[in-house]
Amino acid sequence: MSSRRSVCRGCGAEIVWVKTEAGKSMPCDPGAVPFWARPGAPGKVVTPLGKVVSCDFIGERDRVSGFGYVSHFSTCPKAKEFKRK
Ligand SMILES: [Zn+2]
């Protein structure tokens, strides 16, 4: 997987850019976390294969879907300012 580190222009947090299947780069929080895929779930992760998946971040350990990078848009305190653009 190709990713490069940088810093969020909104909140100054460290982020990584993760390439999605669609060929776009998505700003994500550094470090992969376990996720539980569920259609319509509020969370969004990008898997190491570049798939963007709706998910929960808590669930039963033995039913975990995999590990992925959390979209920084869902955690950034300044996310609203990005959307205004
Ligand atoms: Zn941010």
Side-chain angles (χ1 to χ4, degrees):
M1 184 183 70
S2 67
S3 63
R4 82 193 149 78
R5 279 175 182 275
S6 81
V7 169
C8 175
R9 276 178 303 165
C11 68
E14 194 179 358
I15 54 173
V16 290
W17 291 92
V18 182
K19 261 249 162 69
T20 70
E21 266 183 337
K24 290 185 181 166
S25 288
M26 192 141 133
C28 294
D29 291 344
V33 298
F35 70 91
W36 285 259
R38 183 170 65 83
K44 276 234 182 327
V45 295
V46 186
T47 71
L49 295 176
K51 281 197 192 306
V52 180
V53 179
S54 296
C55 67
D56 295 311
F57 295 107
I58 45 170
E60 293 171 46
R61 270 281 156 204
D62 53 355
R63 301 190 65 183
V64 66
S65 303
F67 286 79
Y69 291 85
V70 183
S71 164
H72 184 64
F73 287 133
S74 63
T75 63
C76 182
K78 303 269 183 158
K80 284 191 191 122
E81 294 180 22
F82 293 117
K83 282 175 188 156
R84 215 163 48 195
K85 197 175 164 190

